[in-house]
Amino acid sequence: MKKFLIAIASLGICSAIVTSCDSKAKLSESVQGTWTSNPERVLDSGAATASMVRVMSFTRGNTQYEGTVTLTALITVDNSMQANDSLVSPITITASGTATITGAYQIKDADDITVNLDATSLSIAVDPDAVQLNYNIATGDSEPVLAKLKPNATVLATQQINRAAQNAFFDLTEIEDIKINNNLMSCEIGDRDLNFTRTAPAVQK
């Protein structure tokens, strides 16, 4: 009887291990490719706002449960400068930038992935020519004032985009509660519930 119970227990353990492996394999297969999130607000201080779209690309490595991951953040910032002695009307400053970082991922279990990002790989690009300054009320004196303000506005926007990217990436060690249904994925990153759509299939090796 004792041997029978031990055999039954062993079968149960083996079954749990097989089920766990099958679940991890399913996540590993499903997550491959490139995913793009819905826009999310990452800064709102009244005078400044920032929104971000996340892009995650997973490429399987030499084993089934690990590989490389590339994270990209498409960040847009808007700043407002109120009228003063130098400004006849408020100005809105809009700028966009792209931040990219790479690293490694590992399938932890059926719905969690751990990531190890390489901080030295972080690159941030802001096109100064794309920084827009707009008077709410344009006058004949608007153009020289905007040209004078643009360099400092570009520096400010670059700093804000840099900060938003670091906040998004540097504390990211795990993607949790992953649920994938065809080309839709929901997950939790840093206490944020996010939704993604697959925008590119897995890279074929």
Side-chain angles (χ1 to χ4, degrees):
M1 183 65 178
K2 185 176 181 181
K3 290 182 179 180
F4 176 76
L5 292 176
I6 292 174
I8 291 296
S10 298
L11 286 173
I13 294 172
C14 291
S15 176
I17 292 173
V18 170
T19 300
S20 175
C21 290
D22 287 347
S23 298
K24 290 175 61 176
K26 182 178 179 181
L27 176 58
S28 177
E29 182 70 27
S30 300
V31 80
Q32 299 303 307
T34 299
W35 301 83
T36 301
S37 75
N38 296 332
E40 59 183 292
R41 183 64 60 89
V42 293
L43 171 67
D44 191 349
S45 64
T49 62
S51 61
M52 177 173 63
V53 172
R54 302 177 191 241
V55 181
M56 304 191 299
S57 296
F58 295 90
T59 304
R60 184 180 298 156
N62 294 327
T63 67
Q64 186 177 19
Y65 301 128
E66 55 81 28
T68 59
V69 60
T70 299
L71 303 181
T72 301
L74 311 176
I75 302 167
T76 300
V77 296
D78 291 290
N79 292 283
S80 299
M81 297 178 63
Q82 298 304 311
N84 53 41
D85 293 339
S86 301
L87 301 175
V88 296
S89 73
I91 287 180
T92 301
I93 305 166
T94 301
S96 298
T98 302
T100 302
I101 193 169
T102 60
Y105 77 86
Q106 187 170 31
I107 305 297
K108 180 180 178 181
D109 52 39
D111 58 5
D112 297 318
I113 294 176
T114 58
V115 294
N116 182 16
L117 299 176
D118 178 7
T120 64
S121 71
L122 177 65
S123 64
I124 299 174
V126 179
D127 182 2
D129 293 332
V131 177
Q132 299 177 354
L133 286 79
N134 300 303
Y135 262 121
N136 288 359
I137 303 174
T139 68
D141 297 329
S142 298
E143 189 170 338
V145 173
L146 296 180
K148 185 177 179 180
L149 289 173
K150 190 167 184 177
N152 288 337
T154 301
V155 171
L156 173 62
T158 301
Q159 291 173 342
Q160 291 172 323
I161 290 171
N162 198 320
R163 191 177 307 116
Q166 292 183 7
N167 289 341
F169 293 148
F170 282 179
D171 290 333
L172 200 166
T173 58
E174 190 166 353
I175 304 171
E176 301 176 290
D177 298 329
I178 301 169
K179 295 178 177 62
I180 297 175
N181 183 10
N182 294 323
N183 291 322
L184 300 177
M185 173 170 65
S186 64
C187 63
E188 183 178 325
I189 298 178
D191 296 326
R192 284 176 177 262
D193 293 323
L194 302 173
N195 294 296
F196 290 78
T197 301
R198 196 195 311 269
T199 50
V203 175
Q204 299 297 324
K205 291 190 174 182

Short mmCIF file of all heavy atoms in Angstrom, two decimals, residues 75-79 93-99 122-131 150-166:
data_model
loop_
_atom_site.label_atom_id
_atom_site.label_comp_id
_atom_site.label_asym_id
_atom_site.label_seq_id
_atom_site.Cartn_x
_atom_site.Cartn_y
_atom_site.Cartn_z
N ILE A 75 8.02 58.44 -27.42
CA ILE A 75 7.60 59.39 -26.38
C ILE A 75 7.32 60.76 -27.00
O ILE A 75 8.11 61.27 -27.80
CB ILE A 75 8.69 59.53 -25.31
CG1 ILE A 75 8.99 58.14 -24.68
CG2 ILE A 75 8.28 60.52 -24.23
CD1 ILE A 75 10.25 58.12 -23.86
N THR A 76 6.18 61.34 -26.64
CA THR A 76 5.83 62.68 -27.07
C THR A 76 5.60 63.56 -25.84
O THR A 76 4.89 63.14 -24.92
CB THR A 76 4.55 62.67 -27.93
OG1 THR A 76 4.77 61.86 -29.09
CG2 THR A 76 4.17 64.07 -28.37
N VAL A 77 6.23 64.74 -25.82
CA VAL A 77 6.07 65.65 -24.70
C VAL A 77 5.47 66.96 -25.19
O VAL A 77 5.74 67.41 -26.30
CB VAL A 77 7.41 65.92 -23.98
CG1 VAL A 77 7.95 64.65 -23.36
CG2 VAL A 77 8.43 66.54 -24.93
N ASP A 78 4.64 67.54 -24.35
CA ASP A 78 4.04 68.85 -24.62
C ASP A 78 4.28 69.75 -23.42
O ASP A 78 3.99 69.37 -22.28
CB ASP A 78 2.53 68.72 -24.87
CG ASP A 78 2.22 68.02 -26.18
OD1 ASP A 78 2.47 68.61 -27.23
OD2 ASP A 78 1.75 66.86 -26.13
N ASN A 79 4.82 70.93 -23.68
CA ASN A 79 5.06 71.91 -22.64
C ASN A 79 4.30 73.19 -22.97
O ASN A 79 4.19 73.58 -24.14
CB ASN A 79 6.55 72.24 -22.51
CG ASN A 79 7.35 71.07 -21.98
OD1 ASN A 79 7.32 70.78 -20.79
ND2 ASN A 79 8.06 70.37 -22.86
N ILE A 93 4.84 73.82 -26.75
CA ILE A 93 6.05 73.19 -27.30
C ILE A 93 5.80 71.69 -27.38
O ILE A 93 5.48 71.06 -26.38
CB ILE A 93 7.27 73.48 -26.41
CG1 ILE A 93 7.46 74.98 -26.21
CG2 ILE A 93 8.53 72.85 -27.01
CD1 ILE A 93 8.42 75.33 -25.09
N THR A 94 5.94 71.13 -28.57
CA THR A 94 5.73 69.69 -28.77
C THR A 94 6.98 69.07 -29.36
O THR A 94 7.57 69.60 -30.29
CB THR A 94 4.54 69.44 -29.73
OG1 THR A 94 3.37 70.03 -29.19
CG2 THR A 94 4.32 67.94 -29.93
N ALA A 95 7.39 67.93 -28.78
CA ALA A 95 8.57 67.22 -29.29
C ALA A 95 8.36 65.73 -29.12
O ALA A 95 7.63 65.28 -28.22
CB ALA A 95 9.83 67.66 -28.54
N SER A 96 9.00 64.97 -29.99
CA SER A 96 8.91 63.51 -29.93
C SER A 96 10.30 62.92 -29.98
O SER A 96 11.22 63.49 -30.58
CB SER A 96 8.07 62.98 -31.10
OG SER A 96 6.75 63.47 -31.04
N GLY A 97 10.44 61.76 -29.35
CA GLY A 97 11.72 61.06 -29.36
C GLY A 97 11.52 59.56 -29.28
O GLY A 97 10.43 59.07 -28.94
N THR A 98 12.57 58.85 -29.59
CA THR A 98 12.55 57.38 -29.56
C THR A 98 13.67 56.89 -28.67
O THR A 98 14.82 57.30 -28.83
CB THR A 98 12.72 56.80 -30.98
OG1 THR A 98 11.69 57.29 -31.82
CG2 THR A 98 12.67 55.28 -30.95
N ALA A 99 13.33 56.04 -27.72
CA ALA A 99 14.32 55.43 -26.84
C ALA A 99 14.30 53.91 -27.04
O ALA A 99 13.23 53.31 -27.11
CB ALA A 99 14.03 55.76 -25.38
N LEU A 122 21.16 51.63 -23.93
CA LEU A 122 20.10 52.64 -24.08
C LEU A 122 20.51 53.73 -25.06
O LEU A 122 21.58 54.33 -24.93
CB LEU A 122 19.76 53.27 -22.73
CG LEU A 122 18.71 54.39 -22.76
CD1 LEU A 122 17.35 53.84 -23.18
CD2 LEU A 122 18.62 55.08 -21.40
N SER A 123 19.68 53.97 -26.06
CA SER A 123 19.91 55.07 -27.00
C SER A 123 18.64 55.89 -27.12
O SER A 123 17.53 55.33 -27.15
CB SER A 123 20.32 54.53 -28.37
OG SER A 123 19.28 53.77 -28.95
N ILE A 124 18.80 57.20 -27.14
CA ILE A 124 17.67 58.11 -27.21
C ILE A 124 17.90 59.10 -28.34
O ILE A 124 18.98 59.71 -28.44
CB ILE A 124 17.48 58.87 -25.88
CG1 ILE A 124 17.18 57.87 -24.75
CG2 ILE A 124 16.35 59.88 -25.99
CD1 ILE A 124 17.12 58.50 -23.38
N ALA A 125 16.93 59.23 -29.21
CA ALA A 125 17.05 60.12 -30.36
C ALA A 125 15.89 61.11 -30.36
O ALA A 125 14.73 60.72 -30.29
CB ALA A 125 17.04 59.32 -31.66
N VAL A 126 16.24 62.39 -30.40
CA VAL A 126 15.26 63.47 -30.50
C VAL A 126 15.65 64.33 -31.70
O VAL A 126 16.78 64.82 -31.76
CB VAL A 126 15.21 64.33 -29.22
CG1 VAL A 126 14.18 65.45 -29.38
CG2 VAL A 126 14.87 63.47 -28.02
N ASP A 127 14.75 64.48 -32.63
CA ASP A 127 15.03 65.29 -33.82
C ASP A 127 14.75 66.75 -33.51
O ASP A 127 13.59 67.15 -33.35
CB ASP A 127 14.14 64.83 -34.99
CG ASP A 127 14.43 65.59 -36.27
OD1 ASP A 127 15.33 66.45 -36.27
OD2 ASP A 127 13.74 65.33 -37.27
N PRO A 128 15.79 67.60 -33.40
CA PRO A 128 15.56 69.01 -33.05
C PRO A 128 14.73 69.73 -34.11
O PRO A 128 14.00 70.68 -33.78
CB PRO A 128 16.98 69.59 -32.94
CG PRO A 128 17.85 68.65 -33.71
CD PRO A 128 17.22 67.30 -33.57
N ASP A 129 14.82 69.29 -35.36
CA ASP A 129 14.05 69.95 -36.41
C ASP A 129 12.56 69.67 -36.29
O ASP A 129 11.73 70.39 -36.87
CB ASP A 129 14.54 69.50 -37.79
CG ASP A 129 15.96 69.98 -38.08
OD1 ASP A 129 16.35 71.03 -37.53
OD2 ASP A 129 16.67 69.29 -38.84
N ALA A 130 12.23 68.60 -35.53
CA ALA A 130 10.82 68.24 -35.38
C ALA A 130 10.18 68.88 -34.14
O ALA A 130 8.98 68.70 -33.90
CB ALA A 130 10.68 66.72 -35.29
N VAL A 131 10.98 69.62 -33.36
CA VAL A 131 10.43 70.31 -32.20
C VAL A 131 9.57 71.48 -32.69
O VAL A 131 10.02 72.32 -33.46
CB VAL A 131 11.56 70.82 -31.28
CG1 VAL A 131 10.96 71.62 -30.11
CG2 VAL A 131 12.39 69.67 -30.77
N LYS A 150 13.64 78.22 -29.30
CA LYS A 150 13.70 76.82 -29.74
C LYS A 150 14.88 76.04 -29.17
O LYS A 150 14.71 74.89 -28.75
CB LYS A 150 13.71 76.74 -31.27
CG LYS A 150 13.52 75.31 -31.77
CD LYS A 150 13.23 75.26 -33.25
CE LYS A 150 12.93 73.84 -33.71
NZ LYS A 150 12.58 73.76 -35.13
N PRO A 151 16.11 76.58 -29.12
CA PRO A 151 17.23 75.78 -28.56
C PRO A 151 16.97 75.32 -27.13
O PRO A 151 17.19 74.14 -26.80
CB PRO A 151 18.42 76.74 -28.65
CG PRO A 151 18.07 77.65 -29.78
CD PRO A 151 16.59 77.85 -29.68
N ASN A 152 16.51 76.22 -26.27
CA ASN A 152 16.24 75.84 -24.89
C ASN A 152 15.05 74.89 -24.79
O ASN A 152 15.02 73.98 -23.95
CB ASN A 152 15.97 77.07 -24.03
CG ASN A 152 17.23 77.88 -23.77
OD1 ASN A 152 18.34 77.34 -23.83
ND2 ASN A 152 17.09 79.16 -23.48
N ALA A 153 14.07 75.09 -25.67
CA ALA A 153 12.91 74.19 -25.69
C ALA A 153 13.33 72.79 -26.09
O ALA A 153 12.83 71.80 -25.55
CB ALA A 153 11.85 74.73 -26.65
N THR A 154 14.26 72.68 -27.03
CA THR A 154 14.74 71.37 -27.47
C THR A 154 15.50 70.67 -26.35
O THR A 154 15.33 69.46 -26.13
CB THR A 154 15.66 71.53 -28.69
OG1 THR A 154 14.92 72.18 -29.75
CG2 THR A 154 16.16 70.19 -29.18
N VAL A 155 16.31 71.43 -25.61
CA VAL A 155 17.05 70.85 -24.47
C VAL A 155 16.07 70.33 -23.42
O VAL A 155 16.22 69.22 -22.90
CB VAL A 155 18.00 71.89 -23.86
CG1 VAL A 155 18.60 71.37 -22.54
CG2 VAL A 155 19.13 72.23 -24.84
N LEU A 156 15.06 71.13 -23.10
CA LEU A 156 14.06 70.73 -22.11
C LEU A 156 13.34 69.47 -22.54
O LEU A 156 13.18 68.51 -21.76
CB LEU A 156 13.06 71.86 -21.89
CG LEU A 156 11.86 71.53 -20.99
CD1 LEU A 156 12.31 71.18 -19.59
CD2 LEU A 156 10.87 72.70 -20.97
N ALA A 157 12.90 69.43 -23.79
CA ALA A 157 12.17 68.27 -24.29
C ALA A 157 13.04 67.02 -24.27
O ALA A 157 12.58 65.93 -23.92
CB ALA A 157 11.66 68.54 -25.70
N THR A 158 14.31 67.17 -24.64
CA THR A 158 15.23 66.02 -24.64
C THR A 158 15.41 65.48 -23.22
O THR A 158 15.42 64.26 -23.01
CB THR A 158 16.59 66.43 -25.22
OG1 THR A 158 16.40 66.91 -26.57
CG2 THR A 158 17.55 65.26 -25.24
N GLN A 159 15.53 66.38 -22.25
CA GLN A 159 15.66 65.95 -20.85
C GLN A 159 14.41 65.21 -20.39
O GLN A 159 14.51 64.18 -19.70
CB GLN A 159 15.92 67.17 -19.96
CG GLN A 159 17.28 67.82 -20.15
CD GLN A 159 17.43 69.11 -19.37
OE1 GLN A 159 16.43 69.72 -18.94
NE2 GLN A 159 18.66 69.56 -19.19
N GLN A 160 13.25 65.70 -20.77
CA GLN A 160 12.00 65.05 -20.36
C GLN A 160 11.85 63.68 -21.00
O GLN A 160 11.42 62.72 -20.36
CB GLN A 160 10.81 65.95 -20.73
CG GLN A 160 10.74 67.22 -19.91
CD GLN A 160 9.68 68.17 -20.43
OE1 GLN A 160 9.49 68.29 -21.64
NE2 GLN A 160 8.97 68.84 -19.54
N ILE A 161 12.20 63.57 -22.27
CA ILE A 161 12.12 62.28 -22.97
C ILE A 161 13.11 61.30 -22.37
O ILE A 161 12.80 60.12 -22.16
CB ILE A 161 12.36 62.49 -24.48
CG1 ILE A 161 11.17 63.23 -25.09
CG2 ILE A 161 12.59 61.15 -25.19
CD1 ILE A 161 11.39 63.68 -26.52
N ASN A 162 14.31 61.79 -22.04
CA ASN A 162 15.32 60.95 -21.41
C ASN A 162 14.83 60.42 -20.07
O ASN A 162 14.95 59.22 -19.76
CB ASN A 162 16.61 61.76 -21.22
CG ASN A 162 17.82 60.89 -21.00
OD1 ASN A 162 17.75 59.90 -20.29
ND2 ASN A 162 18.94 61.25 -21.59
N ARG A 163 14.23 61.30 -19.29
CA ARG A 163 13.73 60.89 -17.97
C ARG A 163 12.58 59.89 -18.09
O ARG A 163 12.52 58.91 -17.35
CB ARG A 163 13.27 62.13 -17.20
CG ARG A 163 12.97 61.87 -15.71
CD ARG A 163 12.59 63.16 -14.99
NE ARG A 163 13.57 64.19 -15.19
CZ ARG A 163 13.33 65.34 -15.84
NH1 ARG A 163 12.13 65.57 -16.34
NH2 ARG A 163 14.27 66.25 -15.97
N ALA A 164 11.69 60.13 -19.02
CA ALA A 164 10.56 59.21 -19.22
C ALA A 164 11.05 57.84 -19.64
O ALA A 164 10.54 56.80 -19.19
CB ALA A 164 9.61 59.78 -20.26
N ALA A 165 12.08 57.80 -20.51
CA ALA A 165 12.62 56.52 -20.96
C ALA A 165 13.29 55.77 -19.82
O ALA A 165 13.10 54.56 -19.66
CB ALA A 165 13.63 56.76 -22.09
N GLN A 166 14.05 56.48 -19.00
CA GLN A 166 14.71 55.83 -17.87
C GLN A 166 13.69 55.29 -16.88
O GLN A 166 13.84 54.17 -16.35
CB GLN A 166 15.66 56.81 -17.19
CG GLN A 166 16.87 57.18 -18.03
CD GLN A 166 17.82 58.11 -17.31
OE1 GLN A 166 17.65 58.39 -16.13
NE2 GLN A 166 18.82 58.60 -18.01
#
